[in-house]
Amino acid sequence: METVLSKHSPASAFKGVMSAEEEESLLGQVEIWRYMTCFTDSFAIKAIVELRIADIIDRYGKPLSLSQIVDNLEDAPSPDPSLLHRIMTLMVRRKIFTAEKSENGDTLYGLTRASKWILRDTKMTLAPMLLLENHPIHLNPTDYIKDIVREGTKNGTAFFKCHGHEQFEMTGLDPEYNRLFNEGMVCTARIVSKAVINGYKDGFNQIKSLVDVGGGIGGSLSEIVRAYPHIKAINFDLPHVVATAPPYDGITHVGGDMFVSVPPADAIYMKWILHDWSDEHCIKILKNCRKAIPEKGGKVIIVDHVLKPEGDELFTDIGIAFDMMLLSHNAGGKERTEENWKWLFKETGFARYNIIKINALPSIIEAFPI
């Protein structure tokens, strides 16, 4: 049976009479084209961040024309406005920038709620994380996902097959990648730590000593100590990581291996650590954390995603996307459901747990010995 498409049909722009079956087929084709080309959003926004387009507009405090933006590009001996115009067209389509006509007919580009998160000259930004996630060292392992599906990871992760080293080994071997990795962790630490401090309320009040396991160069812990200066804090990570850590008031940097032992404290804090590791690795880490805290009053504070594959919350799709990144980067690393977390705590001697939602991608997961 043939039907005439209504003007409200997604395929109504196509001329002629189309059956319901033909419309379904056409829409399915469009969906695959969309997924096939969605990577262009990533490389376009990466170029925008590298060129500091949002920062240029922000510096002037008003929408700018293309020529004004081009005039302010740094290290651009012969810029091509026509190429930038094509990128900006996509960015306007994706609502990264606004576009409005001026009195003289020029298109003026302004900031949106999204572009304010890719400013590089501001403290609260996702720009460093965006550059990390779109770096070739991060992206190229995805070409090997089919191999680990066929073979498993007994002969190495997709990251190892691509680079000959695992991800955390690579940070110690490639200074530029290490810098990008640390900057990405610092920027997300600021964002997540603000949400943790606001959402955890009095959670840190009774803590006198706190160890941030896998704390990088201390960005996350510094925010906590600034809000709770009574806490005596240790930033704990691999020796080559803490070697580049800046000094912070109230924080001691300690190098070590969380699979061997964890410094003792009232509480252990881990932000986006356990999702990098397999269940077997997480059991080792959590058992070491269990040994490091007192039986009475001790706790482990985990800031990690609680995956709900069937959910429709703000961060559901992003959590699933992160799970795909972990699939290519880590041996057994994954985003976990509440049932996964519950099982881990049972295996490592934690009697109870509590999940606290915050205004960020991860949640706070408290685990208690008794």
Side-chain angles (χ1 to χ4, degrees), residues 177-196:
Y177 181 60
N178 188 51
R179 181 187 66 79
L180 280 173
F181 190 90
N182 286 335
E183 288 178 356
M185 295 305 102
V186 168
C187 86
T188 56
R190 291 191 184 115
I191 295 165
V192 174
S193 294
K194 181 179 179 181
V196 167

Side-chain angles (χ1 to χ4, degrees), residues 153-168:
T153 57
K154 58 183 180 296
N155 295 320
T157 61
F159 196 98
F160 182 86
K161 288 179 179 295
C162 180
H163 298 299
H165 298 281
E166 295 295 2
Q167 182 182 26
F168 296 114

Side-chain angles (χ1 to χ4, degrees), residues 98-327:
T98 61
E100 57 187 54
K101 290 292 184 181
S102 67
E103 293 180 358
N104 63 7
D106 287 340
T107 299
L108 301 179
Y109 298 98
L111 300 180
T112 66
R113 65 186 183 188
S115 51
K116 291 176 183 178
W117 283 98
I118 57 170
L119 293 169
R120 296 182 69 178
D121 298 329
T122 186
K123 186 176 181 181
M124 299 299 284
T125 177
L126 281 168
M129 190 65 170
L130 189 147
L131 293 177
L132 170 65
E133 295 295 349
N134 285 279
H135 190 278
I137 288 179
H138 239 56
L139 288 178
N140 290 347
T142 58
D143 286 338
Y144 295 81
I145 288 178
K146 67 181 185 305
D147 298 310
I148 63 168
V149 170
R150 289 169 176 160
E151 306 166 11
T153 57
K154 58 183 180 296
N155 295 320
T157 61
F159 196 98
F160 182 86
K161 288 179 179 295
C162 180
H163 298 299
H165 298 281
E166 295 295 2
Q167 182 182 26
F168 296 114
E169 294 174 353
M170 185 65 77
T171 61
L173 296 170
D174 189 309
E176 174 63 13
Y177 181 60
N178 188 51
R179 181 187 66 79
L180 280 173
F181 190 90
N182 286 335
E183 288 178 356
M185 295 305 102
V186 168
C187 86
T188 56
R190 291 191 184 115
I191 295 165
V192 174
S193 294
K194 181 179 179 181
V196 167
I197 291 165
N198 290 339
Y200 202 33
K201 297 181 179 178
D202 296 330
F204 293 108
N205 272 342
Q206 303 305 315
I207 298 173
K208 294 181 180 179
S209 59
L210 179 69
V211 175
D212 188 352
V213 173
I217 59 174
S220 180
L221 192 56
S222 69
E223 299 295 326
I224 294 171
V225 172
R226 186 177 293 113
Y228 298 89
H230 71 277
I231 293 177
K232 182 180 178 181
I234 293 175
N235 178 52
F236 182 69
D237 212 311
L238 295 170
H240 76 266
V241 175
V242 297
T244 63
Y248 294 106
D249 290 340
I251 295 176
T252 302
H253 298 294
V254 176
D257 186 343
M258 62 186 174
F259 294 107
V260 177
S261 65
V262 171
D266 294 336
I268 305 296
Y269 182 81
M270 288 186 286
K271 179 186 76 70
W272 270 336
I273 300 300
L274 297 182
H275 77 165
D276 286 329
W277 300 98
S278 68
D279 289 341
E280 293 74 17
H281 286 101
C282 287
I283 287 172
K284 289 180 181 179
I285 297 168
L286 285 169
K287 282 184 175 180
N288 286 335
C289 292
R290 177 74 172 77
K291 293 175 184 177
I293 59 175
E295 185 80 8
K296 186 176 180 180
K299 61 181 172 179
V300 175
I301 306 162
I302 299 164
V303 180
D304 230 318
H305 193 65
V306 180
L307 190 66
K308 294 184 178 180
E310 305 302 324
D312 58 357
E313 298 174 354
L314 277 177
F315 289 104
T316 297
D317 283 347
I318 301 169
I320 293 171
F322 261 79
D323 191 49
M324 290 297 98
M325 296 179 207
L326 293 166
L327 181 71

Side-chain angles (χ1 to χ4, degrees), residues 323-338:
D323 191 49
M324 290 297 98
M325 296 179 207
L326 293 166
L327 181 71
S328 66
H329 290 170
N330 305 87
K334 59 186 177 182
E335 301 294 359
R336 290 177 167 86
T337 64
E338 182 173 352

